[in-house]
Amino acid sequence: MGRRVRSVCCWGTFERDYPRNRTLIAALERAGFEVTTVNHSVWERDQDKPGAYAGLTSKLKLGLRLAGAYALLSWRLLRVGRCDLMLVMYPGHFDMPLARVLSRLKRSRLVFDVFISLYDYAVTDRGLYRDGSRPARLLRWIDRRACRLADEVLIDTQAHLRFFVEKLGVSPERIHVVPVGADEPYFGTDRSEEDDTDDDPRLVLFWGKYAPLHGVEVIVRCAARLRRRGDVRFLMVGEGQTKPLATRLAEESGLTNVEFIGSVPPEELAILTRRATVCLGIFGTTPKAGRVIPNKVYSALAAGRAVVTADSPAMNRGLVADREVVLVPPGRDDLLAEAVTRLIDDRERRRAIASAGRRAYFARFSTGVIAEQLRQIIDTPRDRPGPPEDR
């Protein structure tokens, strides 16, 4: 366990094409590690993962899929040569017990990119289970146990770190904060900071998986406030839990300035982002919304677009308000409409914020920065006792 790490094995049932996972793999390679991927995803077909397995039949099917995946993943890992460090990636909570065993067989350090809390995701954000219910308690136990099985844990923001320490009882000495970053091959290519769109009508872009923390109903109400302007169009891209709510609100309001389209490949999403006049982040009022800086924000910053998103502890710690990003109180469609209007009408301010935001991204959150963070984390291992028994 004390040998110098040269090789990293990214192992598990994770979504290989999930932006967070692609960024971590790219950063590890940039940091100079030999990266091997041993992956068999069972999650990529499911947009709403906890909600997709509510019934007994679906749980049994998931169990069979996981059993088959773990047999294959174990065989593949044992055939891998040197593996100094095993990295279990998102979503990997259920992978951790077997990863712990296999990492000991391979004499590898075990790092878990927890990324989200299943309890936080399903209970406090999506409301799939009541807090205190048996499923909620089980998900909280899975969160805690998965983290305790790891030698070290990665998380995306300091606000998330505090949640895992205070709510789930994970030792802060185990956790490292590594930002989400952006898909730089698509969003971060070389371009002039002075580029700006003159498209008419102006395009306001949102994209995502329609989680409650996104607050898409706030965006639709904002669009309703701006319906009389003939030069503003809202484009909402993606699929997910709250999309039916958003489309119903738009239909009931008779909005013609809002268009909904389904999910698109990242290269097309990057094109839409660069065409946008303003890019939107998240505006929900759930507790989780205050703990994250989502990939959509980093991606828009990398692409050199002006971003408006909700004021939160995570955002305030990561970005400078009114210089690198525009922040509005969560849930306030009136103030969002004011912020969007001002950016659309004030080209110089919009370009200044977009330029400062792009510089901030490449200075503090880029793949190169993440690579250096990972190099330091991996090169300075911390001694870890075995996982403590849960009380």
Side-chain angles (χ1 to χ4, degrees):
M1 295 289 289
R3 61 183 175 179
R4 185 172 182 270
V5 173
R6 296 205 314 261
S7 60
V8 177
C9 180
C10 301
W11 181 91
T13 61
F14 59 88
E15 294 182 52
R16 187 162 186 167
D17 287 334
Y18 195 77
R20 167 71 165 186
N21 296 336
R22 283 201 298 258
T23 298
L24 286 179
I25 291 172
L28 287 167
E29 291 173 342
R30 185 174 297 191
F33 298 104
E34 300 171 9
V35 180
T36 303
T37 301
V38 179
N39 169 243
H40 184 79
S41 179
V42 300
W43 308 106
E44 288 173 351
R45 72 188 73 174
D46 303 312
Q47 291 284 339
D48 185 18
K49 297 169 185 64
Y53 305 106
L56 177 60
T57 301
S58 60
K59 287 185 174 70
L60 290 173
K61 288 181 179 179
L62 172 62
L64 291 173
R65 286 164 59 190
L66 285 172
Y70 289 147
L72 181 63
L73 287 167
S74 299
W75 179 76
R76 287 179 178 173
L77 180 66
L78 293 175
R79 290 172 60 89
V80 169
R82 184 181 175 113
C83 175
D84 300 321
L85 184 144
M86 279 181 63
L87 174 62
V88 176
M89 305 173 82
Y90 172 78
H93 295 70
F94 299 111
D95 300 350
M96 285 303 294
L98 178 58
R100 174 80 180 188
V101 173
L102 293 174
S103 69
R104 292 327 182 234
L105 288 175
K106 298 289 288 186
R107 301 183 63 195
S108 306
R109 280 170 60 193
L110 179 59
V111 177
F112 177 33
D113 180 39
V114 61
F115 191 51
I116 67 167
S117 154
L118 296 183
Y119 166 84
D120 195 22
Y121 178 96
V123 178
T124 64
D125 187 52
R126 303 220 170 197
L128 299 175
Y129 306 111
R130 179 179 53 82
D131 193 14
S133 66
R134 185 173 298 177
R137 293 197 304 271
L138 175 61
L139 289 173
R140 185 175 174 180
W141 180 84
I142 291 171
D143 280 335
R144 184 171 61 248
R145 190 62 176 169
C147 291
R148 291 183 176 184
L149 288 171
D151 294 311
E152 290 167 276
V153 174
L154 306 182
I155 196 69
D156 61 330
T157 67
Q158 287 288 342
H160 248 151
L161 183 152
R162 287 194 298 273
F163 174 83
F164 272 78
V165 171
E166 296 169 5
K167 188 73 173 180
L168 302 177
V170 180
S171 170
E173 287 76 22
R174 289 178 179 265
I175 308 177
H176 303 277
V177 175
V178 177
V180 171
D183 259 343
E184 288 178 24
Y186 304 109
F187 294 91
T189 53
D190 187 27
R191 59 187 294 281
S192 170
E193 291 183 6
E194 299 304 315
D195 287 355
D196 196 12
T197 180
D198 286 315
D199 292 347
D200 189 14
R202 299 294 188 179
L203 178 63
V204 180
L205 177 68
F206 165 84
W207 54 270
K209 290 189 175 182
Y210 284 85
L213 68 87
H214 291 162
V216 291
E217 68 282 1
V218 179
I219 299 173
V220 175
R221 292 198 297 266
C222 167
R225 290 179 177 273
L226 300 180
R227 75 173 86 197
R228 291 186 176 85
R229 289 189 59 138
D231 62 342
V232 182
R233 179 169 67 94
F234 288 75
L235 178 61
M236 303 186 69
V237 181
E239 303 287 348
Q241 180 183 349
T242 64
K243 186 173 184 178
L245 168 64
T247 56
R248 186 175 69 251
L249 287 174
E251 290 169 1
E252 291 173 352
S253 300
L255 300 183
T256 59
N257 61 340
V258 181
E259 180 184 359
F260 295 89
I261 65 174
S263 300
V264 300
E267 57 270 21
E268 185 175 341
L269 196 57
I271 292 170
L272 290 173
T273 300
R274 290 198 179 92
R275 286 178 181 168
T277 312
V278 176
C279 289
L280 301 180
I282 59 176
F283 304 94
T285 57
T286 66
K288 185 179 176 183
R291 293 192 280 268
V292 301
I293 303 178
N295 173 258
K296 63 176 63 57
V297 168
Y298 289 119
S299 296
L301 293 173
R305 297 292 89 184
V307 177
V308 184
T309 192
D311 196 350
S312 71
M315 290 292 179
N316 270 295
R317 188 179 181 97
L319 294 159
V320 180
D322 292 322
R323 189 169 78 193
E324 299 167 346
V325 66
V326 176
L327 300 181
V328 298
R332 292 292 301 272
D333 56 278
D334 55 337
L335 297 182
L336 175 58
E338 289 181 12
V340 168
T341 298
R342 186 178 176 195
L343 285 173
I344 287 173
D345 292 342
D346 189 342
R347 179 175 180 174
E348 291 307 311
R349 180 171 182 265
R350 183 174 75 242
R351 293 174 69 177
I353 288 175
S355 181
R358 190 169 190 268
R359 289 196 300 271
Y361 171 80
F362 283 101
R364 304 199 295 273
F365 311 114
S366 68
T367 302
V369 172
I370 294 172
E372 183 57 33
Q373 288 179 314
L374 291 175
R375 185 187 294 113
Q376 292 180 13
I377 291 167
I378 291 171
D379 286 347
T380 54
R382 301 172 182 175
D383 293 332
R384 289 283 178 260
E389 292 300 319
D390 289 330
R391 293 184 293 275

